[in-house]
Amino acid sequence: MLAGCGKEKNVKPTVSSRDIATSVPVQSTSVNTTLTYNVGFELPVQKVITLIDKNTLKMVYNETVNLLVDPSEYDRAWGLRLTENFSSSALASFDYTTVTKEGHVTKNWVDENLNNVILKGKADTSVNGVKKVKVKIERAFTFTKEYTTPQLAIAEQNAILARQNDIISFASFYYSEDKKISPATAKAQVIYVKN
């Protein structure tokens, strides 16, 4: 499914405001608690391959996201979550399929709980001298739309290939019963290429 992997040049971690070495104190009159979502992102440009199959436009998006997380939080958390928002890209108007860890094909749904996802890997690293775990996520989305003629599908493909400002937004957080904590967020540029 994946052609290969390698280190992207000029890719630097996008560090969320919550990706800090110390905890973010929460003001409380009764209990002094500490809440953290020490999640940072390494987001290379996200590549979408477009192709025409008769009168259907297909776009294959191999999501590539590295999360930088606090090792102790990662070890004790119930689950690390990752969500995608395609609304600022051409992908938003297409249906998509993904394949679950168990091999089931799902339509317009992807599991956000990374406990249920086959990870590309994880490795120890450091950011500004602070130890982190790099969680590598790579998974495939296949977006499709059927048109009445092949010419209409080709015209849509050409319009998408010309788009230059599309982005995908990501949010990541540890599972928490405290609904007041906002997830760490980041955006990645999308490029469309013709197969």
Side-chain angles (χ1 to χ4, degrees), residues 35 38 58 68 83 87 98 125 131 136 150 154 170 173 186 195:
L35 301 176
N38 288 331
K58 292 185 180 181
L68 301 166
T83 59
S87 64
T98 59
T125 189
K131 289 183 180 179
K136 301 175 183 179
I154 292 167
F170 297 91
F173 58 96
N195 186 17

Side-chain angles (χ1 to χ4, degrees), residues 6-190:
K7 185 173 179 180
E8 296 280 338
K9 291 184 179 179
N10 301 324
V11 175
K12 296 180 182 169
T14 301
V15 180
S16 130
S17 60
R18 295 202 179 272
D19 189 0
I20 53 178
T22 59
S23 301
V24 177
V26 174
Q27 300 300 321
S28 172
T29 54
S30 58
V31 180
N32 184 9
T33 48
T34 308
L35 301 176
T36 59
Y37 278 156
N38 288 331
V39 179
F41 293 86
E42 282 184 346
L43 292 171
V45 170
Q46 304 294 297
K47 184 173 160 183
V48 177
I49 299 169
T50 68
L51 58 112
I52 302 294
D53 182 9
K54 298 179 183 171
N55 62 333
T56 300
L57 173 57
K58 292 185 180 181
M59 295 191 289
V60 178
Y61 165 50
N62 290 309
E63 176 180 74
T64 304
V65 176
N66 293 331
L67 299 177
L68 301 166
V69 297
D70 178 274
S72 60
E73 289 180 359
Y74 182 72
D75 287 342
R76 72 173 183 258
W78 294 350
L80 180 61
R81 306 285 177 133
L82 176 68
T83 59
E84 303 82 3
N85 182 335
F86 300 115
S87 64
S88 295
S89 73
L91 303 173
S93 62
F94 286 70
D95 289 321
Y96 68 86
T97 58
T98 59
V99 179
T100 67
K101 184 177 181 178
E102 295 79 22
H104 303 292
V105 176
T106 65
K107 184 174 181 180
N108 295 328
W109 180 84
V110 63
D111 201 327
E112 68 181 41
N113 185 347
L114 297 181
N115 289 340
N116 303 327
V117 173
I118 297 173
L119 298 176
K120 180 68 175 174
K122 61 182 181 175
D124 294 331
T125 189
S126 67
V127 177
N128 298 327
V130 178
K131 289 183 180 179
K132 297 286 180 183
V133 172
K134 183 186 290 191
V135 181
K136 301 175 183 179
I137 302 111
E138 290 183 7
R139 52 187 173 182
F141 294 72
T142 302
F143 292 81
T144 58
K145 187 184 286 187
E146 189 174 332
Y147 296 83
T148 54
T149 67
Q151 291 76 18
L152 289 173
I154 292 167
E156 181 70 13
Q157 179 188 37
N158 289 334
I160 289 171
L161 290 169
R163 293 174 70 123
Q164 297 182 8
N165 298 313
D166 282 11
I167 59 166
I168 298 172
S169 299
F170 297 91
S172 184
F173 58 96
Y174 295 106
Y175 178 78
S176 171
E177 293 182 8
D178 187 338
K179 307 299 183 199
K180 294 180 271 188
I181 301 176
S182 297
T185 60
K187 297 176 182 180
Q189 179 188 0
V190 181

